Every structure is written in structure tokens, then in C-alpha cells.
Amino acid sequence: MGRVILAVTGSIAAYKAVEVLREFQRRGWEVRVVMTRAATHFVAPLTFQTLSEKRVIVDQFRDVFALEHIELCREADALLVAPATADFIAKMAAGLADDFPSSLYLACKKPVFVAPAMNEGMLMHPATRRNLEILREHGVRIIEPEEGPLACEEEGLGRLAEPARVVFQVLSSLGSRLRGRKVLVTAGPTREFIDEVRFISNPSTGKQGLAIAHQAALMGAEVHLLLSSASPFRSMVSYETFTSGEELRERLKGKDYDLLFMTAAVGDFRPAKTKGGKLRRQGRLTLDLEATPDILAEICSSKRPGQFVVAFAAETEDFLQRAKKKLGKKGADAIFVNPVGRGVGFGQDENRGWLIFRDGSIHEIPPSSKEEVARRIIELVIEKEEI
Ligand SMILES: Cc1cc2nc3c(=O)[nH]c(=O)nc-3n(C[C@H](O)[C@H](O)[C@H](O)COP(=O)(O)O)c2cc1C
């Protein structure tokens, strides 16, 4: 897949670099670790050496065979400093090169990422703010730290971003197949309220839509996600939430995109009237339902040339026949149909189905993880449209 150099510096969050390494490996990436002397007080080089199966360089005069500070970056796709101390960030900004990781950085011509981790006081100090600004000016990409409990028993800004997020940001910045393209994704179920505490919905969780958003981001797209407030997941890409079909329709208005994946499970009916307060228990209750607006058809009728819409259909039977009918009726460019039912499709980790294009071509996607299904769907669309 790719190769990254992971520079670990002397922060209390250095143990999380182990998880960063693991996350890269899970995605098939090779990791080469280098460390500052201070970092070795927090995690032993042997830990990284064992996990990466590669020699870890700390001392530029003892651990190095030749001009490795220049050679290592030549063979890598990126350099990531995680966690990055205030001290190391200052060194990078000033152009100091008095140890192996800082010499490596200065010689590196590949994309560089920095994930700061420090106490809020250190992070907000004008010197650190200025140094981070200088790094940005030098083209370094900063993976913003998060808010939360810090090691110094304070709450605040400065926690190393979650390892999965660190890796996601590196990989999505390096992705190229959808670079410069705007991808919009809708995900999760709608809720149509009967009264103030009850609603009509479906078992969708938004997992497949999230996977599409993440895979598109990993291919370098600028992704925006419209995610159901009922989804149990949160996303690593920019998102806003919706609850009802009407809210989703409002959020979609005026959104610009090149590629739209309408993965959300939008209900077909809603109560004609929502009762204020709470309906009282009674012997029998008849609900008066009306059809919800056909958001997909609306979107397809107003799309401009060059925009591509992929519809999604969850069916219990006659998959291909029903999907083809929906594709023709709504005016989408392609449709992905997958079987659903009790314990099938909704909320599961795996999915399968068929992607059908307007020209009638059908591509079967065998059972695999939802991330893999998402990757296949996007790749097929890219190939078809030469996007
Ligand atoms: C227990 C402990 C925890 C530390 N945690 C951090 C930290 O999270 N972030 C930081 O910027 N510095 C932290 N420091 C200070 C750095 O270790 C110190 O500035 C060191 O010189 C950094 O060296 P390096 O940048 O070469 O790795 C910590 C120090 C100690 C003793």
C-alpha cells in the first residue's frame, strides 16, 4: 500500500503512537519508526521495533549506517510526527537539526504531518501558536489536537487526536483518485414523529453511508455527510445531522456536489399530523399517514450536467427488477440494491448487493465488509464515469 515514517517525540501521549502504528498496519501500510531521545523515556524503542519489524533510529551517531536522514524519506510516502511536543514543533519551525528526527524532517521532501499533544497552556502559548503557524506556512499539515481530559489532570485542548483519526487524516490527504471532487453522502434513518415522544422509523444505522463517506475521503475527495441524528455513529468527515425526511430535504437544498450518494433510509410515510404532547393509551388508534416528499426524484430532476447521483435501494425480494424500476423512475445515474430483512443488511458489518448503471450494466458486489462494499461502489462509479 504505502510507507510512512512515524516520528515519536517526548510526550506522555507517546504510548498512543503504538496504536497509530497498528492502525497504519491494519490498512496495509509499512511503518518505519524514529524517536527523539526524550520519547524513549515514555516507550521503549524495542516496542516499536518489534511491532514494525524494523530497526528504530534514535541516535543519529550510533543507530545510523549512512545518510539515513536523507534516504529514509526518499523511500516513504509521508512523514508523520505523532505525538509532537511543543519542543519538537519549535525545533521544526526554527529549522534546527540537532537529533535524528529533526534532521530527517529538514531533509524531507514528502508530505509532512504533525499531530501535537501537550498541556493546554503549552498549546495556547503565543510561541507554540506562532510555531504552528510557521509550520503551516511551510506546507506542514497539522492534525488538530482534541479537547478532553489531559494527563496533567486538567480538562482542555491539547490531547493527541484519536489514533484512528490521525491515520485517517494522513491517508485522506494523500489520496488522489477523487482529489478536487466534491462528494455528498446521506446516511441513516429518518424519524417521523407521531407525537412528541414516538416516531415511525426503520432499523438503518447509517453504517454503509459512513463507509462511503470515509472511503471517498480516503480517495482525496472533499466530503460532506448528512447524517441521521438517530445514527449511533459519529464521523471523521465534516457532517451535519437531520431527523425527519423534511429536514434532510432542507439540508440538501443548495448543496454543491459532483457525486451524491443517497444512502440514507428515508421513510416513505409520515403521520399527516404530529400531535403535540403525548398520545394517551386507548383501545384502538388509527394513524393517518401520508407519503413523504420524494427527495431522490427532486434531486435528480434538478441536477446539473456533470453531477452524478447514486441511489440506494433496500429490498426484501425481486432485487434487480425493483432496483431497475426505481432507477428509471427517479432519474438517478446508478443504483445500489442490497437485501434487507431481520438480521440482514441493516446495522450489520457486512453487506452485499448489485450496482446497476443507467446503461443497464450490472455489477455484483459479493459479501464483504461495508468499507469494502463502499470502496467497490466508488471505484465502479469512477471507472464508469471516468471521474
Ligand atoms: C512526564 C512528562 C510528560 C511530558 N509530556 C509532554 C507533552 O505531552 N507534550 C509536550 O510538548 N511536552 C511534554 N513533556 C516535556 C518534554 O518531554 C520535553 O520538552 C522534552 O525536552 C521534549 O523532547 P523532544 O521534543 O526532543 O521529544 C513532558 C515531560 C514529562 C517529564
Side-chain angles (χ1 to χ4, degrees), residues 9-13 36-39 42 84-88 91 99 117-119 122:
T9 70
S11 151
I12 189 69
T36 62
R37 170 81 37 217
F42 296 90
T85 57
D87 172 70
F88 197 78
K91 242 189 220 178
D99 63 2
M118 62 197 72
N119 152 280
M122 293 172 98

Side-chain angles (χ1 to χ4, degrees), residues 183-227:
V183 171
L184 185 60
V185 183
T186 67
T190 51
R191 282 180 171 176
E192 305 296 346
F193 277 82
I194 299 166
D195 61 14
E196 281 181 30
V197 293
R198 303 177 181 99
F199 52 79
I200 301 174
S201 190
N202 58 66
S204 162
T205 59
K207 212 181 254 182
Q208 185 63 73
L210 266 136
I212 298 226
H214 290 169
Q215 289 297 324
L218 289 174
M219 293 183 198
E222 186 188 314
V223 183
H224 188 64
L225 174 66
L226 299 177
L227 180 63

Side-chain angles (χ1 to χ4, degrees), residues 20-21 66 128 142-144 162-163 190 238 249 320 367 380 384:
V20 171
L21 180 151
T128 310
I142 310 297
I143 301 172
E144 295 296 337
E162 277 307 308
T190 51
S238 81
R249 184 193 200 187
L320 297 181
L380 285 165
K384 190 78 179 174

Side-chain angles (χ1 to χ4, degrees), residues 51-158:
L51 296 174
S52 69
E53 297 177 18
K54 298 254 167 350
R55 189 166 47 89
V56 170
I57 302 178
V58 178
D59 188 322
Q60 60 182 341
F61 300 109
R62 277 183 34 207
D63 304 336
V64 170
F65 294 139
L67 295 172
E68 279 179 291
H69 64 287
I70 295 166
E71 282 158 16
L72 270 192
C73 258
R74 247 186 231 149
E75 294 159 11
D77 297 289
L79 167 64
L80 165 66
V81 186
T85 57
D87 172 70
F88 197 78
I89 289 167
K91 242 189 220 178
M92 290 171 81
L96 294 180
D98 66 351
D99 63 2
F100 188 78
S102 53
S103 305
L104 180 81
Y105 161 65
L106 219 49
C108 186
K109 295 189 182 122
K110 299 290 170 63
V112 179
F113 299 83
V114 163
M118 62 197 72
N119 152 280
E120 185 165 5
M122 293 172 98
L123 182 69
M124 299 318 280
H125 193 285
T128 310
R129 304 309 305 162
R130 179 78 196 115
N131 288 334
L132 284 169
E133 214 33 63
I134 292 172
L135 291 191
R136 280 194 193 94
E137 284 162 19
H138 292 174
V140 172
R141 284 164 246 193
I142 310 297
I143 301 172
E144 295 296 337
E146 293 172 1
E147 227 166 309
L150 301 170
C152 52
E153 295 189 353
E154 284 173 18
E155 277 274 330
L157 193 61

